[in-house]
Amino acid sequence: NFQSLFSAVDPAAIDGIEVFSGGFTARYGTRSGGVINFSAPSAGSGYENRVAASLISAGVSSIGTADNLPLEWFGAIRRSTLDLLEPVKEGLGTPRFSDSLGRLRWSTEKGAWTAGWLSLDDQLALGVLGNVELADARYRDEYFWLARDHRFNGQLKTRVAAVFTSAERERSGTVNIPGVANGMLEEARDFERFEITNDWTYSPDDSSSYSFGTEVSLSRAEYDHAREVAFSPEIAAAFGRLPNDTLRVVVDPEVVYFSLYGAHRRKWANFEAEFGVRLDAQDYEGFGEHAQVSPRLNLRYDLSDRTRFYASAGRFTQAQHVEEWRVEEGQLLSDSAQAAIHSTLGVAHESEVDLKWSIETYRKRWTRMAPYFDNLLNPLSLLPELAPDRVRVVPKASEASGLEFNIRAPLRENWSTWGRLSWSRVTDDFGDGDVPRSWDQPLAATAVWGNSTHSDCRPSRS
């Protein structure tokens, strides 16, 4: 909430990040935009303890392997220092957050057992200068998981995982803008989710592999949303709003998810292809039933040992999660799953001096969209539901397309630089023309340089 004004990831908890911005394999589903895969660090031997502090946060972490047991551990805990050092401008608020992540892995002869948790706790007290807009929020998320990795032989392996998620959201605030609006909001949201996944990989030889798996999950949510706002007659007329907007919604949707996927990858001398398909189904327990089929194709051709071309095309669907209920309009029935067609074409090259570059063009066309809400004039409102410029957007289709150039180059020993230049366009189609999204960014550039003694210390992108 609050348009993600605050966002942070503990660097101690990250070993690598993979970003699948489109064309991802059939293993990944339920989202139509992209996939971000964070991998936690591991230790081959010994142990290491760290203490870190900055103007944003302070924390401790530990990673290691037991000497006499097949046990590996990792743990990190962190607390914000924003409310202690007060770098936030006086009068804007006191955001506080804490998080912890832990993992235990017990290795066996043919695999490993893994148990872990992730806990996030945020408290926000924010305000606009002059106290015309005040908001308080409390968010708490907890994730617990248990997984078993097992190798039957050199050709067949499987992974079974059980995950439990619990989240709480509480938000309240007031708006008092003389001559514009006066109102209040109280909202509480609770989510719970339990899921079991089972993935299999069979590789009969070096040139061929099969992957298949399933997922079953149960999610439930409880919403209690209440708001009351009055607009001045002139403002209500200008934005087409009623002078008084009062709503109280109590709803508790539940959904059972079922997914099944299969894929086959085949490699020849210079060419590699993977074809996969997903079946996703949802039963919203009286709020609707839906099912989707998603075929996907990924291709790669190696022109040489250092240059490769790649392409992908497929259908990607996004069913509505119970934590995405549009409670601010009193939604009762679930949305049909959003559907998008992804197509990607690119070339990547790596020179003998470790210079790497890639050029990629992509297009994502959503043929079925769900309604969403946006604020026309002030996208950073703390309580957007109470603003007069709040609008319900119902596009017939949407599209994100662009061209992206990435480069990474060594500067000297242990120093390197990488950068990205992209041209993009994100629009909604309302039947009589395309309208750019509020977060459309036609041109973007990023450049980073730094020192590292670790050869893999760089952004990872797929």
Side-chain angles (χ1 to χ4, degrees), residues 171 187 189 191 221 223 225 227 247 249-251 253 318-338 369-374 385 390-395:
R171 188 165 57 108
E187 184 180 83
R189 307 183 179 199
F191 314 124
Y223 291 91
H225 174 97
R227 73 171 183 268
L247 180 68
V249 176
V250 178
V251 63
Q318 180 168 317
Q320 186 179 26
H321 288 183
V322 292
E323 62 268 28
E324 298 170 335
W325 225 248
R326 293 189 306 281
V327 67
E328 68 174 275
E329 67 171 353
Q331 180 182 4
L332 294 179
L333 296 178
S334 61
D335 293 328
S336 297
Q338 301 181 73
M369 289 290 297
Y372 68 92
F373 287 88
D374 204 352
E385 298 94 333
R390 189 72 164 171
V391 294
R392 186 178 191 265
V393 183
V394 190

Side-chain angles (χ1 to χ4, degrees), residues 419-430:
R420 174 178 300 169
L421 180 64
S422 62
W423 295 266
S424 63
R425 180 173 173 80
V426 183
T427 61
D428 285 329
D429 183 1
F430 295 95

